[in-house]
Protein backbone atom coordinates (compact mmCIF):
# COMPACT_ATOMS: atom_id res chain seq x y z
CA UNK A 1 0.00 0.00 0.00
CA UNK A 2 2.83 2.35 0.93
CA UNK A 3 4.53 1.52 -2.35
CA UNK A 4 1.39 2.32 -4.33
CA UNK A 5 1.10 5.65 -2.55
CA UNK A 6 4.76 6.41 -3.15
CA UNK A 7 4.50 5.58 -6.84
CA UNK A 8 1.36 7.64 -7.28
CA UNK A 9 3.08 10.62 -5.69
CA UNK A 10 6.06 10.02 -7.96
CA UNK A 11 3.82 10.10 -11.04
CA UNK A 12 2.14 13.31 -9.91
CA UNK A 13 5.54 14.89 -9.29
CA UNK A 14 6.57 13.82 -12.77
CA UNK A 15 3.51 15.57 -14.15
CA UNK A 16 4.46 18.72 -12.28
CA UNK A 17 7.99 18.60 -13.68
CA UNK A 18 6.85 18.24 -17.29
CA UNK A 19 4.21 20.89 -16.62
CA UNK A 20 6.95 23.29 -15.59
CA UNK A 21 8.87 22.52 -18.77
CA UNK A 22 5.91 23.76 -20.80
CA UNK A 23 6.74 27.30 -19.69
CA UNK A 24 10.49 27.10 -20.18
CA UNK A 25 12.36 28.77 -22.99
CA UNK A 26 12.54 26.40 -25.96
CA UNK A 27 15.93 25.02 -26.80
CA UNK A 28 15.37 24.70 -30.55
CA UNK A 29 15.13 27.59 -33.01
CA UNK A 30 12.45 28.01 -35.72
CA UNK A 31 15.23 27.58 -38.24
CA UNK A 32 14.59 29.45 -41.47
CA UNK A 33 13.23 32.43 -39.50
CA UNK A 34 15.87 32.41 -36.79
CA UNK A 35 19.35 31.25 -37.70
CA UNK A 36 21.33 30.26 -34.65
CA UNK A 37 24.92 31.57 -34.71
CA UNK A 38 27.58 29.01 -35.56
CA UNK A 39 30.77 28.52 -33.57
CA UNK A 40 33.65 30.89 -34.38
CA UNK A 41 35.69 28.06 -35.91
CA UNK A 42 32.77 26.48 -37.76
CA UNK A 43 33.90 24.87 -40.99
CA UNK A 44 31.45 25.73 -43.73
CA UNK A 45 31.68 27.00 -47.28
CA UNK A 46 35.19 27.80 -48.54
CA UNK A 47 36.52 31.20 -49.50
CA UNK A 48 39.65 32.12 -51.44
CA UNK A 49 40.78 35.18 -49.51
CA UNK A 50 42.57 38.30 -50.73
CA UNK A 51 45.25 40.53 -49.29
CA UNK A 52 44.20 44.00 -48.21
CA UNK A 53 45.53 45.40 -51.50
CA UNK A 54 43.28 43.07 -53.50
CA UNK A 55 45.98 40.59 -54.60
CA UNK A 56 45.05 36.93 -54.33
CA UNK A 57 46.64 34.93 -51.55
CA UNK A 58 46.57 31.67 -53.51
CA UNK A 59 49.90 30.97 -55.18
CA UNK A 60 48.75 27.82 -56.98
CA UNK A 61 50.97 25.43 -54.98
CA UNK A 62 48.27 22.71 -55.00
CA UNK A 63 49.05 21.59 -51.45
CA UNK A 64 45.32 21.65 -50.75
CA UNK A 65 44.77 19.33 -53.69
CA UNK A 66 47.33 16.92 -52.26
CA UNK A 67 46.01 16.99 -48.70
CA UNK A 68 42.32 16.78 -49.58
CA UNK A 69 41.14 13.34 -48.36
CA UNK A 70 38.12 13.28 -50.63
CA UNK A 71 39.88 14.72 -53.68
CA UNK A 72 37.36 17.50 -53.97
CA UNK A 73 39.74 20.24 -55.10
CA UNK A 74 41.06 20.94 -58.57
CA UNK A 75 43.68 23.63 -59.15
CA UNK A 76 45.22 24.68 -62.40
CA UNK A 77 48.18 26.93 -61.74
CA UNK A 78 49.59 29.62 -64.06
CA UNK A 79 52.65 31.90 -63.97
CA UNK A 80 52.29 35.50 -62.86
CA UNK A 81 53.60 37.94 -65.44
CA UNK A 82 54.68 41.54 -64.87
CA UNK A 83 51.67 42.68 -66.88
CA UNK A 84 49.28 40.44 -64.97
CA UNK A 85 50.30 40.05 -61.30
CA UNK A 86 47.41 38.11 -59.71
CA UNK A 87 49.08 36.90 -56.52
CA UNK A 88 52.18 37.82 -54.54
CA UNK A 89 54.16 34.70 -55.47
CA UNK A 90 55.48 33.45 -58.81
CA UNK A 91 52.34 31.58 -59.68
CA UNK A 92 48.62 31.94 -59.14
CA UNK A 93 45.58 29.71 -59.54
CA UNK A 94 44.13 30.16 -62.97
CA UNK A 95 41.41 27.64 -62.25
CA UNK A 96 40.21 26.67 -58.77
CA UNK A 97 37.29 24.31 -58.31
CA UNK A 98 35.86 22.63 -55.21
CA UNK A 99 33.29 19.90 -55.60
CA UNK A 100 30.97 20.62 -52.67
CA UNK A 101 29.35 17.20 -53.06
CA UNK A 102 32.69 15.52 -52.33
CA UNK A 103 33.97 17.94 -49.72
CA UNK A 104 33.67 16.62 -46.15
CA UNK A 105 34.56 19.99 -44.57
CA UNK A 106 37.52 18.57 -42.66
CA UNK A 107 39.48 21.81 -42.99
CA UNK A 108 42.76 20.11 -44.03
CA UNK A 109 43.03 22.44 -47.03
CA UNK A 110 42.96 25.44 -44.73
CA UNK A 111 45.67 23.88 -42.55
CA UNK A 112 47.86 22.94 -45.48
CA UNK A 113 47.69 26.32 -47.23
CA UNK A 114 51.05 28.12 -46.84
CA UNK A 115 49.56 31.55 -47.52
CA UNK A 116 46.25 31.18 -45.74
CA UNK A 117 44.43 31.60 -49.03
CA UNK A 118 41.73 28.99 -48.62
CA UNK A 119 39.57 29.29 -45.50
CA UNK A 120 36.35 27.63 -44.41
CA UNK A 121 33.63 30.14 -43.68
CA UNK A 122 30.40 30.09 -41.72
CA UNK A 123 27.87 29.52 -44.50
CA UNK A 124 26.25 26.09 -44.30
CA UNK A 125 23.24 26.49 -46.59
CA UNK A 126 24.82 24.81 -49.59
CA UNK A 127 21.96 22.99 -51.30
CA UNK A 128 21.67 22.91 -55.07
CA UNK A 129 19.39 21.50 -57.72
CA UNK A 130 22.02 19.97 -60.00
CA UNK A 131 25.33 18.25 -59.50
CA UNK A 132 27.01 20.73 -61.81
CA UNK A 133 25.88 23.65 -59.69
CA UNK A 134 27.60 22.09 -56.70
CA UNK A 135 31.04 22.44 -58.26
CA UNK A 136 32.14 25.85 -57.06
CA UNK A 137 34.49 27.63 -59.44
CA UNK A 138 37.09 30.26 -58.74
CA UNK A 139 34.74 33.13 -59.36
CA UNK A 140 32.34 31.80 -56.74
CA UNK A 141 35.06 30.96 -54.23
CA UNK A 142 37.10 34.18 -54.34
CA UNK A 143 35.82 36.68 -51.83
CA UNK A 144 34.26 39.69 -53.57
CA UNK A 145 36.36 42.22 -51.62
CA UNK A 146 39.20 41.85 -49.08
CA UNK A 147 37.74 40.70 -45.76
CA UNK A 148 34.39 39.57 -47.20
CA UNK A 149 34.93 36.07 -45.78
CA UNK A 150 35.18 37.46 -42.26
CA UNK A 151 38.98 36.91 -42.03
CA UNK A 152 41.32 39.82 -41.45
CA UNK A 153 42.89 40.66 -44.85
CA UNK A 154 46.03 41.94 -43.10
CA UNK A 155 46.83 38.64 -41.32
CA UNK A 156 50.10 36.80 -42.01
CA UNK A 157 48.87 33.32 -42.88
CA UNK B 1 -41.41 12.10 -41.83
CA UNK B 2 -39.46 13.55 -44.76
CA UNK B 3 -38.76 16.70 -42.78
CA UNK B 4 -37.54 14.73 -39.79
CA UNK B 5 -35.24 12.69 -42.02
CA UNK B 6 -33.90 15.82 -43.66
CA UNK B 7 -33.23 17.47 -40.33
CA UNK B 8 -31.44 14.37 -39.09
CA UNK B 9 -29.37 14.17 -42.27
CA UNK B 10 -28.31 17.81 -42.06
CA UNK B 11 -27.49 17.47 -38.38
CA UNK B 12 -25.44 14.34 -39.02
CA UNK B 13 -23.53 16.03 -41.84
CA UNK B 14 -22.75 19.05 -39.69
CA UNK B 15 -21.74 16.82 -36.80
CA UNK B 16 -19.52 14.70 -39.04
CA UNK B 17 -17.76 17.73 -40.52
CA UNK B 18 -17.30 19.21 -37.07
CA UNK B 19 -15.92 16.02 -35.56
CA UNK B 20 -13.53 15.36 -38.43
CA UNK B 21 -12.22 18.94 -38.32
CA UNK B 22 -11.80 18.79 -34.57
CA UNK B 23 -9.94 15.49 -34.89
CA UNK B 24 -7.67 16.86 -37.59
CA UNK B 25 -6.79 19.72 -35.31
CA UNK B 26 -6.39 17.35 -32.39
CA UNK B 27 -3.32 15.97 -34.17
CA UNK B 28 -1.89 19.47 -34.47
CA UNK B 29 -2.83 20.24 -30.86
CA UNK B 30 -1.04 17.14 -29.67
CA UNK B 31 2.05 17.71 -31.80
CA UNK B 32 2.43 21.35 -30.79
CA UNK B 33 1.76 20.60 -27.14
CA UNK B 34 4.12 17.64 -26.90
CA UNK B 35 6.73 19.79 -28.60
CA UNK B 36 6.19 22.40 -25.90
CA UNK B 37 6.74 19.80 -23.19
CA UNK B 38 9.95 18.78 -24.93
CA UNK B 39 11.14 22.39 -25.39
CA UNK B 40 10.64 22.23 -29.15
CA UNK B 41 8.35 24.22 -31.45
CA UNK B 42 6.52 21.49 -33.31
CA UNK B 43 4.99 21.89 -36.78
CA UNK B 44 4.78 25.64 -37.39
CA UNK B 45 5.59 26.00 -41.08
CA UNK B 46 2.29 25.34 -42.90
CA UNK B 47 0.11 28.40 -42.57
CA UNK B 48 0.17 30.78 -39.61
CA UNK B 49 1.51 28.92 -36.56
CA UNK B 50 1.16 25.65 -38.49
CA UNK B 51 -2.64 25.90 -38.56
CA UNK B 52 -2.89 24.35 -42.04
CA UNK B 53 -0.73 21.36 -41.13
CA UNK B 54 -3.69 18.94 -40.73
CA UNK B 55 -4.81 19.73 -44.29
CA UNK B 56 -1.31 19.23 -45.64
CA UNK B 57 -1.17 15.88 -43.84
CA UNK B 58 -4.58 14.86 -45.16
CA UNK B 59 -3.69 15.77 -48.75
CA UNK B 60 -0.43 13.90 -48.49
CA UNK B 61 -2.08 10.75 -47.10
CA UNK B 62 -4.89 10.79 -49.67
CA UNK B 63 -2.48 10.98 -52.57
CA UNK B 64 -0.27 8.17 -51.35
CA UNK B 65 -0.49 4.80 -53.04
CA UNK B 66 -2.93 2.31 -51.53
CA UNK B 67 -0.91 -0.86 -51.36
CA UNK B 68 -1.59 -4.27 -49.93
CA UNK B 69 1.09 -6.65 -48.65
CA UNK B 70 1.36 -9.80 -50.76
CA UNK B 71 0.13 -12.23 -48.09
CA UNK B 72 -2.70 -10.06 -46.79
CA UNK B 73 -6.34 -11.05 -46.91
CA UNK B 74 -7.75 -8.54 -49.41
CA UNK B 75 -11.33 -8.17 -48.20
CA UNK B 76 -10.56 -7.94 -44.48
CA UNK B 77 -7.52 -5.81 -45.13
CA UNK B 78 -9.60 -3.14 -46.89
CA UNK B 79 -12.59 -3.34 -44.53
CA UNK B 80 -10.73 -3.10 -41.22
CA UNK B 81 -9.77 0.62 -41.35
CA UNK B 82 -13.34 1.44 -42.32
CA UNK B 83 -14.70 -0.40 -39.28
CA UNK B 84 -12.25 1.43 -37.04
CA UNK B 85 -13.27 4.82 -38.39
CA UNK B 86 -17.02 4.30 -38.76
CA UNK B 87 -17.53 2.88 -35.27
CA UNK B 88 -15.50 5.75 -33.86
CA UNK B 89 -17.64 8.30 -35.69
CA UNK B 90 -20.91 6.46 -35.05
CA UNK B 91 -21.07 7.37 -31.34
CA UNK B 92 -21.49 11.05 -32.17
CA UNK B 93 -25.11 10.32 -32.92
CA UNK B 94 -25.84 10.34 -29.19
CA UNK B 95 -23.18 12.58 -27.63
CA UNK B 96 -24.61 16.02 -26.80
CA UNK B 97 -22.46 19.09 -27.47
CA UNK B 98 -24.63 21.54 -25.60
CA UNK B 99 -28.10 22.36 -24.28
CA UNK B 100 -31.13 22.84 -26.51
CA UNK B 101 -30.77 26.21 -28.21
CA UNK B 102 -33.54 28.29 -29.74
CA UNK B 103 -32.75 29.30 -33.32
CA UNK B 104 -35.36 31.35 -35.27
CA UNK B 105 -37.98 30.43 -32.70
CA UNK B 106 -37.40 26.71 -33.07
CA UNK B 107 -35.75 24.55 -30.43
CA UNK B 108 -32.54 23.02 -31.76
CA UNK B 109 -31.06 20.32 -29.53
CA UNK B 110 -27.27 20.13 -29.95
CA UNK B 111 -27.36 16.36 -30.20
CA UNK B 112 -28.24 14.30 -33.24
CA UNK B 113 -30.38 11.86 -31.27
CA UNK B 114 -31.16 11.91 -27.56
CA UNK B 115 -31.43 8.16 -27.14
CA UNK B 116 -32.54 6.89 -23.75
CA UNK B 117 -29.70 4.34 -23.71
CA UNK B 118 -27.10 6.78 -25.08
CA UNK B 119 -24.19 5.80 -22.89
CA UNK B 120 -24.71 2.10 -23.62
CA UNK B 121 -24.58 2.87 -27.33
CA UNK B 122 -21.31 4.74 -26.90
CA UNK B 123 -19.67 1.93 -24.95
CA UNK B 124 -21.03 -0.67 -27.36
CA UNK B 125 -19.78 1.15 -30.43
CA UNK B 126 -16.33 1.65 -28.98
CA UNK B 127 -16.22 -2.10 -28.25
CA UNK B 128 -17.04 -2.86 -31.87
CA UNK B 129 -14.27 -0.45 -32.84
CA UNK B 130 -11.72 -2.93 -31.60
CA UNK B 131 -12.80 -5.27 -34.40
CA UNK B 132 -11.22 -2.85 -36.86
CA UNK B 133 -7.95 -3.12 -35.00
CA UNK B 134 -8.06 -6.89 -34.57
CA UNK B 135 -9.05 -7.55 -38.18
CA UNK B 136 -6.53 -5.02 -39.49
CA UNK B 137 -3.72 -6.64 -37.54
CA UNK B 138 -4.83 -10.14 -38.53
CA UNK B 139 -5.39 -9.47 -42.21
CA UNK B 140 -2.06 -7.73 -42.73
CA UNK B 141 -0.27 -11.08 -42.31
CA UNK B 142 2.59 -9.54 -40.39
CA UNK B 143 4.04 -10.49 -37.01
CA UNK B 144 4.14 -6.95 -35.70
CA UNK B 145 0.61 -6.17 -36.77
CA UNK B 146 -0.66 -9.41 -35.24
CA UNK B 147 1.14 -8.78 -31.96
CA UNK B 148 -0.25 -5.27 -31.89
CA UNK B 149 -3.80 -6.36 -32.53
CA UNK B 150 -3.57 -9.14 -29.92
CA UNK B 151 -2.33 -6.69 -27.35
CA UNK B 152 -4.99 -4.25 -28.37
CA UNK B 153 -7.83 -6.72 -27.97
CA UNK B 154 -6.60 -7.81 -24.54
CA UNK B 155 -6.20 -4.20 -23.47
CA UNK B 156 -9.52 -2.92 -24.76
CA UNK B 157 -11.34 -5.88 -23.24
CA UNK B 158 -9.78 -5.27 -19.83
CA UNK B 159 -10.21 -1.55 -19.74
CA UNK B 160 -13.69 -1.59 -21.20
CA UNK B 161 -14.70 -3.17 -17.90
CA UNK B 162 -13.02 -0.43 -15.91
CA UNK B 163 -14.66 2.18 -18.07
CA UNK B 164 -18.03 0.45 -17.80
CA UNK B 165 -17.83 0.23 -14.01
CA UNK B 166 -16.90 3.89 -13.73
CA UNK B 167 -19.78 4.85 -16.00
CA UNK B 168 -22.16 2.49 -14.16
CA UNK B 169 -21.76 4.33 -10.88
CA UNK B 170 -22.46 7.62 -12.65
CA UNK B 171 -25.51 6.11 -14.31
CA UNK B 172 -26.63 4.84 -10.91
CA UNK B 173 -26.23 8.30 -9.38
CA UNK B 174 -28.01 10.03 -12.25
CA UNK B 175 -30.70 7.37 -12.52
CA UNK B 176 -30.69 7.46 -16.32
CA UNK B 177 -28.75 6.15 -19.32
CA UNK B 178 -29.45 9.19 -21.49
CA UNK B 179 -26.42 11.44 -21.85
CA UNK B 180 -28.56 14.57 -21.91
CA UNK B 181 -30.28 13.55 -18.67
CA UNK B 182 -26.93 12.68 -17.05
CA UNK B 183 -25.65 16.17 -17.85
CA UNK B 184 -28.79 17.73 -16.47
CA UNK B 185 -28.35 15.73 -13.27
CA UNK B 186 -25.12 17.69 -12.71
CA UNK B 187 -26.79 21.07 -12.61
CA UNK B 188 -25.74 21.63 -8.99
CA UNK B 189 -22.61 19.57 -8.50
CA UNK B 190 -20.38 17.65 -10.92
CA UNK B 191 -20.12 13.89 -10.74
CA UNK B 192 -16.35 14.37 -10.64
CA UNK B 193 -16.92 15.74 -7.13
CA UNK B 194 -19.47 13.23 -5.90
CA UNK B 195 -17.83 10.27 -7.68
CA UNK B 196 -14.08 11.00 -7.48
CA UNK B 197 -13.08 7.31 -7.56
CA UNK B 198 -15.19 6.69 -10.64
CA UNK B 199 -13.67 9.79 -12.25
CA UNK B 200 -10.11 8.51 -11.75
CA UNK B 201 -11.14 5.07 -13.01
CA UNK B 202 -12.75 6.67 -16.05
CA UNK B 203 -9.64 8.71 -16.83
CA UNK B 204 -7.40 5.63 -16.62
CA UNK B 205 -9.86 3.53 -18.60
CA UNK B 206 -10.27 6.21 -21.25
CA UNK B 207 -6.52 6.60 -21.73
CA UNK B 208 -6.10 2.82 -21.99
CA UNK B 209 -9.16 2.40 -24.21
CA UNK B 210 -7.84 4.90 -26.72
CA UNK B 211 -4.45 3.17 -26.58
CA UNK B 212 -2.51 6.24 -25.58
CA UNK B 213 0.68 6.55 -23.59
CA UNK B 214 1.41 5.22 -21.00
CA UNK B 215 -0.92 2.46 -22.23
CA UNK B 216 0.08 2.57 -25.91
CA UNK B 217 1.24 -1.05 -26.04
CA UNK B 218 -0.78 -1.92 -29.17
CA UNK B 219 1.47 0.36 -31.19
CA UNK B 220 4.59 0.68 -29.10
CA UNK B 221 7.12 1.90 -31.62
CA UNK B 222 10.19 0.38 -30.01
CA UNK B 223 8.84 -3.16 -30.06
CA UNK B 224 6.11 -3.34 -32.69
CA UNK B 225 6.98 -0.58 -35.19
CA UNK B 226 3.38 0.65 -35.31
CA UNK B 227 1.42 -2.35 -34.06
CA UNK B 228 -1.73 -3.16 -35.97
CA UNK B 229 -1.22 -0.33 -38.50
CA UNK B 230 2.28 -1.41 -39.47
CA UNK B 231 1.25 -2.66 -42.90
CA UNK B 232 -1.14 0.17 -43.68
CA UNK B 233 -0.29 3.29 -45.61
CA UNK B 234 -1.93 6.23 -47.27
CA UNK B 235 -5.64 6.64 -46.80
CA UNK B 236 -6.14 3.33 -44.99
CA UNK B 237 -3.63 4.42 -42.41
CA UNK B 238 -5.40 7.77 -42.23
CA UNK B 239 -8.69 6.02 -41.46
CA UNK B 240 -7.12 4.16 -38.53
CA UNK B 241 -5.59 7.40 -37.41
CA UNK B 242 -8.87 9.28 -37.66
CA UNK B 243 -10.53 6.51 -35.65
CA UNK B 244 -7.91 6.85 -32.97
CA UNK B 245 -8.16 10.61 -32.66
CA UNK B 246 -11.94 10.53 -32.82
CA UNK B 247 -11.69 8.12 -29.89
CA UNK B 248 -9.73 10.69 -27.90
CA UNK B 249 -12.29 13.39 -28.62
CA UNK B 250 -15.08 10.97 -27.75
CA UNK B 251 -13.49 10.15 -24.43
CA UNK B 252 -12.98 13.85 -23.78
CA UNK B 253 -16.63 14.57 -24.52
CA UNK B 254 -17.70 11.66 -22.33
CA UNK B 255 -15.51 12.90 -19.50
CA UNK B 256 -17.02 16.35 -19.93
CA UNK B 257 -20.59 15.09 -20.05
CA UNK B 258 -20.41 12.34 -17.44
CA UNK B 259 -18.14 13.90 -14.85
CA UNK B 260 -17.45 17.56 -15.52
CA UNK B 261 -20.99 18.89 -15.74
CA UNK B 262 -21.26 19.00 -19.53
CA UNK B 263 -22.50 22.38 -20.70
CA UNK B 264 -23.20 23.68 -17.19
CA UNK B 265 -20.87 26.52 -16.28
CA UNK B 266 -20.94 30.23 -15.52
CA UNK B 267 -20.81 33.10 -18.04
CA UNK B 268 -19.86 31.27 -21.24
CA UNK B 269 -22.51 29.58 -23.43
CA UNK B 270 -22.98 25.83 -23.06
CA UNK B 271 -21.18 24.51 -26.15
CA UNK B 272 -18.11 26.55 -25.24
CA UNK B 273 -18.01 24.88 -21.84
CA UNK B 274 -18.25 21.46 -23.47
CA UNK B 275 -15.36 22.41 -25.78
CA UNK B 276 -13.25 23.71 -22.89
CA UNK B 277 -13.80 20.58 -20.84
CA UNK B 278 -13.09 18.30 -23.79
CA UNK B 279 -9.91 20.22 -24.50
CA UNK B 280 -8.92 19.90 -20.85
CA UNK B 281 -9.15 16.13 -21.18
CA UNK B 282 -7.12 16.19 -24.38
CA UNK B 283 -4.53 18.36 -22.66
CA UNK B 284 -4.38 15.91 -19.78
CA UNK B 285 -3.91 13.00 -22.19
CA UNK B 286 -1.02 14.74 -23.94
CA UNK B 287 0.46 15.75 -20.60
CA UNK B 288 0.42 12.12 -19.48
CA UNK B 289 2.04 11.07 -22.74
CA UNK B 290 4.79 13.63 -22.24
CA UNK B 291 5.44 12.44 -18.70
CA UNK B 292 4.94 8.74 -18.08
CA UNK B 293 6.91 5.89 -19.64
CA UNK B 294 4.99 2.97 -21.14
CA UNK B 295 3.88 0.23 -18.74
CA UNK B 296 4.75 -3.42 -19.36
CA UNK B 297 2.15 -5.80 -20.73
CA UNK B 298 1.88 -7.76 -17.45
CA UNK B 299 1.65 -4.52 -15.47
CA UNK B 300 -1.10 -3.33 -17.77
CA UNK B 301 -3.12 -6.51 -17.28
CA UNK B 302 -2.45 -6.64 -13.53
CA UNK B 303 -3.49 -3.02 -13.09
CA UNK B 304 -6.81 -3.67 -14.76
CA UNK B 305 -7.79 -7.09 -13.40
CA UNK B 306 -6.19 -6.98 -9.96
CA UNK B 307 -6.69 -3.34 -9.02
CA UNK B 308 -8.98 -1.16 -11.08
CA UNK B 309 -11.85 -3.60 -11.61
CA UNK B 310 -11.97 -4.40 -7.87
CA UNK B 311 -12.01 -0.71 -7.02
CA UNK B 312 -14.68 -0.21 -9.66
CA UNK B 313 -16.94 -2.90 -8.21
CA UNK B 314 -16.37 -1.58 -4.68
CA UNK B 315 -17.22 1.93 -5.83
CA UNK B 316 -20.34 0.65 -7.54
CA UNK B 317 -21.42 -1.23 -4.41
CA UNK B 318 -20.84 1.77 -2.16
CA UNK B 319 -22.73 4.01 -4.56
CA UNK B 320 -25.61 1.56 -4.72
CA UNK B 321 -25.63 1.18 -0.92
CA UNK B 322 -25.70 4.94 -0.35
CA UNK B 323 -28.43 5.41 -2.93
CA UNK B 324 -30.50 2.59 -1.36
CA UNK B 325 -29.95 4.04 2.12
CA UNK B 326 -31.13 7.42 0.90
CA UNK B 327 -34.13 5.67 -0.59
CA UNK B 328 -33.21 6.53 -4.21
Amino acid sequence: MAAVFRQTVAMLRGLLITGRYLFRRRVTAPYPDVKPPVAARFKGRHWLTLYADGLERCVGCELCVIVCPSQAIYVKAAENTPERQVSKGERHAEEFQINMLRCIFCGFCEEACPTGAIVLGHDYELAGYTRASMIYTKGMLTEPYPGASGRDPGREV
Amino acid sequence: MVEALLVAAVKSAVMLALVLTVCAYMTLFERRLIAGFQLRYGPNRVGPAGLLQPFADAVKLIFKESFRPAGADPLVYWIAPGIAMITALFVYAVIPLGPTLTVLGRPVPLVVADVNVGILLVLGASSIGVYGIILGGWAANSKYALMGSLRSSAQVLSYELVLGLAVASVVLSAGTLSLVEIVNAQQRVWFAVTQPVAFVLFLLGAIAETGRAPFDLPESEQELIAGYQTEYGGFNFAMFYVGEYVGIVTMGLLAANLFLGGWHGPLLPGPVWVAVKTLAFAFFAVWLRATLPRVRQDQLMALSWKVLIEIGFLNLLVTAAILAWRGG
Side-chain angles (χ1 to χ4, degrees), chain B residues 173-184:
Chain B
S173 306
T176 170
L177 284 166
S178 155
L179 277 163
V180 176
E181 293 304 314
I182 289 174
V183 172
N184 283 331

Side-chain angles (χ1 to χ4, degrees), chain B residues 125-149:
Chain B
S126 67
S127 307
I128 295 175
V130 78
Y131 275 109
I133 292 171
I134 296 173
L135 292 178
W138 178 260
N141 192 25
S142 146
K143 296 178 202 68
Y144 296 115
L146 184 59
M147 284 292 291
S149 68

Side-chain angles (χ1 to χ4, degrees), chain A residues 26 28-33, chain B residues 24-58 241 245 286 289:
Chain A
R26 302 176 187 216
T28 55
Y31 162 62
D33 304 332
Chain B
Y25 276 96
M26 200 53 82
T27 62
L28 183 69
F29 175 76
E30 169 160 32
R31 288 170 70 185
R32 288 303 296 266
L33 196 59
I34 205 112
F37 279 120
Q38 296 167 352
L39 305 184
R40 299 182 286 115
Y41 281 89
N44 62 353
R45 306 307 313 168
V46 190
L51 280 177
L52 296 179
Q53 184 72 42
F55 295 103
D57 289 341
Y241 217 65
Y245 275 85
V286 177
R289 179 183 159 191

Side-chain angles (χ1 to χ4, degrees), chain B residues 250-276:
Chain B
T250 309
M251 287 302 163
L253 276 170
L254 279 186
N257 284 337
L258 293 176
F259 290 98
L260 301 176
W263 54 78
H264 296 303
L267 293 175
L268 297 170
V272 177
W273 273 113
V274 175
V276 166

Side-chain angles (χ1 to χ4, degrees), chain B residues 221-299:
Chain B
E221 297 89 353
Q222 291 84 353
E223 310 146 35
L224 295 182
I225 313 200
Y228 59 88
Q229 31 178 266
T230 303
E231 302 293 343
Y232 282 92
F235 198 64
N236 294 303
F237 168 76
M239 289 212 276
F240 270 127
Y241 217 65
V242 165
E244 221 161 275
Y245 275 85
V246 169
I248 296 161
V249 180
T250 309
M251 287 302 163
L253 276 170
L254 279 186
N257 284 337
L258 293 176
F259 290 98
L260 301 176
W263 54 78
H264 296 303
L267 293 175
L268 297 170
V272 177
W273 273 113
V274 175
V276 166
K277 288 162 182 174
T278 309
L279 213 60
F281 175 84
F283 179 86
F284 176 71
V286 177
W287 195 5
L288 274 188
R289 179 183 159 191
T291 307
L292 300 178
R294 186 180 302 128
V295 298
R296 280 197 323 258
Q297 183 70 30
D298 60 315
Q299 291 172 333

Side-chain angles (χ1 to χ4, degrees), chain B residues 79-328:
Chain B
I79 284 178
I83 296 177
M85 187 173 81
I86 290 167
T87 50
L89 288 170
F90 174 65
V91 299
Y92 283 88
V94 295
I95 295 181
L97 298 182
T100 303
L101 298 181
T102 309
V103 181
L104 303 173
R106 284 172 59 123
V108 177
L110 291 181
V111 53
V112 176
D114 180 14
V115 187
N116 58 4
V117 290
I119 186 66
L120 278 186
L121 196 82
V122 172
L123 290 180
S126 67
S127 307
I128 295 175
V130 78
Y131 275 109
I133 292 171
I134 296 173
L135 292 178
W138 178 260
N141 192 25
S142 146
K143 296 178 202 68
Y144 296 115
L146 184 59
M147 284 292 291
S149 68
L150 283 177
R151 281 189 185 184
S152 189
S153 41
Q155 178 172 333
V156 171
L157 213 72
S158 313
Y159 281 86
E160 195 103 282
L161 274 173
V162 178
L163 209 64
L165 287 168
V167 170
S169 40
V170 167
V171 168
L172 219 54
S173 306
T176 170
L177 284 166
S178 155
L179 277 163
V180 176
E181 293 304 314
I182 289 174
V183 172
N184 283 331
Q186 302 175 73
Q187 197 117 39
R188 261 187 40 251
V189 55
W190 293 359
F191 281 136
V193 179
T194 55
Q195 292 276 7
V197 179
F199 184 50
V200 173
L201 286 181
F202 180 87
L203 285 183
L204 284 172
I207 299 285
E209 180 87 357
T210 49
R212 292 184 53 80
F215 304 115
D216 56 345
L217 285 114
E219 43 189 303
S220 50
E221 297 89 353
Q222 291 84 353
E223 310 146 35
L224 295 182
I225 313 200
Y228 59 88
Q229 31 178 266
T230 303
E231 302 293 343
Y232 282 92
F235 198 64
N236 294 303
F237 168 76
M239 289 212 276
F240 270 127
Y241 217 65
V242 165
E244 221 161 275
Y245 275 85
V246 169
I248 296 161
V249 180
T250 309
M251 287 302 163
L253 276 170
L254 279 186
N257 284 337
L258 293 176
F259 290 98
L260 301 176
W263 54 78
H264 296 303
L267 293 175
L268 297 170
V272 177
W273 273 113
V274 175
V276 166
K277 288 162 182 174
T278 309
L279 213 60
F281 175 84
F283 179 86
F284 176 71
V286 177
W287 195 5
L288 274 188
R289 179 183 159 191
T291 307
L292 300 178
R294 186 180 302 128
V295 298
R296 280 197 323 258
Q297 183 70 30
D298 60 315
Q299 291 172 333
L300 178 90
M301 286 295 127
L303 180 67
S304 167
W305 292 101
K306 293 184 187 166
V307 182
L308 296 181
I309 289 176
E310 274 78 352
I311 295 176
F313 271 119
L314 220 62
N315 186 50
L316 194 61
L317 275 177
V318 172
T319 307
I322 290 176
L323 284 174
W325 181 61
R326 278 212 204 134

Side-chain angles (χ1 to χ4, degrees), chain A residues 121-143:
Chain A
H122 287 175
D123 191 4
Y124 50 83
E125 291 170 329
L126 303 172
Y129 284 104
T130 58
R131 283 160 197 271
S133 74
M134 293 307 288
I135 296 171
Y136 284 25
T137 52
K138 191 182 171 190
M140 301 155 79
L141 289 166
T142 308
E143 52 181 357

